[in-house]
Amino acid sequence: MSFSEQPSEAQGRASLPAMRASDADRDQVADRLREALAEGRITPEEHAERIDLVYRAKTYAELEPVLSDLPAVAGARPRVDLRKEEAPLAAPPPPQSPHIVAVFGGAERKGRWLVQRSTNVTCVFAGVDVDFRQAVLSQAEVTVNVVCIFGGVDLVVPPGVRVVGSNVAVFGGNDWPEDDTVAPDAPVIRVTGVTLFGGVSVTRKELKRPKKDRKRELRRLHERRHGH
């Protein structure tokens, strides 16, 4: 996730405020506010008020005013970090096989991983779990092709990502989440393939920050307020 914005992106600015912000977005805004406090640009009281707004914000539109009067990165809004080109300062994750196979067992892929243009999921008498919440898409649109017999595939995607399902379920079913995206340039995960006596389930869920990180932020806020 980066706060810098390229000129070529100006065309899509109007659609970005409605995008859902992630915990990583809120953390980076909080880091910028700590820098502003240390530089004397905002008072401890202003810092406390803005931190409260940051961790209650759900969209970029709610985050942007928090930094609007600060220099350098103030004019750029945080962006969803699911696509590789939107995180130029972060090293891309190592490539992984585009094939996920499970036979009479289970398989999973989660954490930070690079999603190729097409990922093939094959399961026979098995289940597969694929978590996209920390993944980096190599393309604006990627495809997950599922071939599953007597089994199921569970996909977890973050808010702000469009899921398009076109796979066929025979003696089974599919469970798709409601589309929460309004931006025309939102990342797309397209699900194709066929399942026999099984199905595909997609859940939309935010990646929660560890409680210890939130407690650390509250402790820092308390110290700032009391001058420790």
Side-chain angles (χ1 to χ4, degrees):
M1 193 263 303
S2 172
F3 281 91
S4 61
E5 183 173 4
Q6 301 300 322
S8 61
E9 297 165 351
Q11 228 175 4
R13 287 182 61 122
S15 62
L16 286 176
M19 295 286 284
R20 303 280 291 194
S22 68
D23 283 337
D25 295 328
R26 287 182 280 270
D27 288 344
Q28 192 158 346
V29 174
D31 288 342
R32 176 61 186 129
L33 289 177
R34 281 194 291 271
E35 293 174 2
L37 177 63
E39 295 164 355
R41 300 186 187 278
I42 58 176
T43 66
E45 291 75 17
E46 290 172 324
H47 176 264
E49 292 174 359
R50 297 189 189 200
I51 283 292
D52 184 58
L53 291 174
V54 166
Y55 287 108
R56 286 193 287 110
K58 295 182 179 180
T59 66
Y60 294 158
E62 294 172 311
L63 282 177
E64 186 175 22
V66 177
L67 300 178
S68 62
D69 59 349
L70 296 178
V73 298
R77 63 171 56 88
R79 297 174 294 150
V80 65
D81 60 353
L82 198 62
R83 285 176 285 180
K84 184 169 61 177
E85 63 269 22
E86 292 182 347
L89 299 180
Q96 298 191 41
S97 170
H99 304 285
I100 304 174
V101 180
V103 179
F104 291 102
E108 67 175 8
R109 184 165 294 180
K110 61 182 181 179
R112 184 170 168 80
W113 59 288
L114 181 62
V115 185
Q116 303 294 344
R117 180 187 296 273
S118 180
T119 299
N120 300 305
V121 179
T122 304
C123 57
V124 180
F125 290 97
V128 175
D129 296 320
V130 184
D131 193 334
F132 288 92
R133 289 177 295 174
Q134 291 180 281
V136 176
L137 301 189
S138 61
Q139 310 286 331
E141 178 176 325
V142 298
T143 298
V144 179
N145 186 57
V146 176
V147 176
C148 190
I149 302 174
F150 288 99
V153 177
D154 292 326
L155 308 179
V156 181
V157 302
V161 178
R162 180 170 289 114
V163 179
V164 179
S166 60
N167 69 309
V168 177
V170 181
F171 294 107
N174 299 312
D175 185 11
W176 309 113
E178 292 186 5
D179 192 352
D180 71 341
T181 60
V182 293
D185 62 343
V188 176
I189 297 176
R190 187 176 299 276
V191 182
T192 63
V194 60
T195 58
L196 177 63
F197 293 100
V200 176
S201 176
V202 182
T203 304
R204 194 183 304 281
K205 185 187 304 183
E206 285 194 26
L207 183 67
K208 299 298 183 182
R209 278 196 312 151
K211 289 184 178 180
K212 62 179 181 180
D213 290 348
R214 297 182 185 275
K215 290 181 179 178
R216 187 181 300 117
E217 182 59 42
L218 292 174
R219 185 169 61 251
R220 288 175 179 170
L221 178 58
H222 177 78
E223 294 172 352
R224 292 290 187 184
R225 282 178 171 174
H226 294 81
H228 297 312

